[in-house]
Amino acid sequence: MIQRIQTIYLILAFVATGVLPFVFSLWTLDTKVAYYFMQNQVYLVLFAVSTVLSAVSIVSYKKRQNQFVMGRLNIILNLILLGLFVYRSLNLSGETPAVSEKGIGMFLPIVAIVLLVLSNKAIKKDEELVKSVDRLR
């Protein structure tokens, strides 16, 4: 069901967690080497689970309640990922010689969270519409 707006939001969240982390680095080390999410197992697993949840949520468009629950789980997962990034950036501040510059990749969970919230809002609106039509029958 590509014509539903929540599917578009979920596809964009899928891209934000599944494609863009390969493009944008999380931060740059002092040796001018970019640090990507693949270099840490925890980040790799969290991004992979978030991507899988988005993909499964896209496919399960007939079960709106399950889609809503998967969206909530994905939001929680991205909040955990964002918390790890914030912890890492506060631990390794700009004064430390290990990290010289933070990258755009650290903001990808924020983008995914916003898209997932918009998706859940649209799913809820869709569910209310179906319930109101069922009431009329």
Side-chain angles (χ1 to χ4, degrees):
M1 283 283 249
I2 195 80
Q3 68 264 21
R4 292 170 48 199
I5 190 68
Q6 59 261 34
T7 306
I8 302 297
Y9 290 142
L10 287 170
I11 289 171
L12 290 175
F14 176 83
V15 169
T17 58
V19 177
L20 293 181
F22 289 102
V23 177
F24 299 115
S25 66
L26 298 177
W27 51 79
T28 306
L29 301 174
D30 63 343
T31 59
K32 304 295 183 213
V33 176
Y35 188 88
Y36 288 93
F37 78 102
M38 298 154 297
Q39 296 169 330
N40 190 333
Q41 293 291 328
V42 176
Y43 299 152
L44 180 67
V45 168
L46 289 175
F47 270 118
V49 171
S50 178
T51 304
V52 168
L53 274 175
S54 294
V56 170
S57 187
I58 290 168
V59 173
S60 67
Y61 59 88
K62 290 185 179 180
K63 300 175 184 172
R64 286 177 298 277
Q65 192 62 33
N66 289 347
Q67 199 176 27
F68 187 79
V69 169
M70 282 187 274
R72 288 281 172 120
L73 288 174
N74 207 347
I75 289 170
I76 292 170
L77 188 68
N78 278 302
L79 282 172
I80 291 170
L81 190 59
L82 183 63
L84 288 173
F85 287 159
V86 168
Y87 175 75
R88 177 74 177 196
S89 70
L90 290 177
N91 253 1
L92 298 174
S93 63
E95 302 155 0
T96 315
V99 174
S100 65
E101 175 180 320
K102 279 103 181 144
I104 294 175
M106 291 183 76
F107 298 107
L108 290 177
I110 296 172
V111 172
I113 289 169
V114 169
L115 291 168
L116 290 167
V117 166
L118 289 172
S119 168
N120 275 358
K121 204 172 184 182
I123 292 168
K124 189 174 181 182
K125 186 177 174 184
D126 211 20
E127 185 68 27
E128 289 172 359
L129 179 66
V130 169
K131 283 182 182 178
S132 71
V133 170
D134 284 345
R135 224 177 289 132
L136 292 174
R137 287 188 204 174

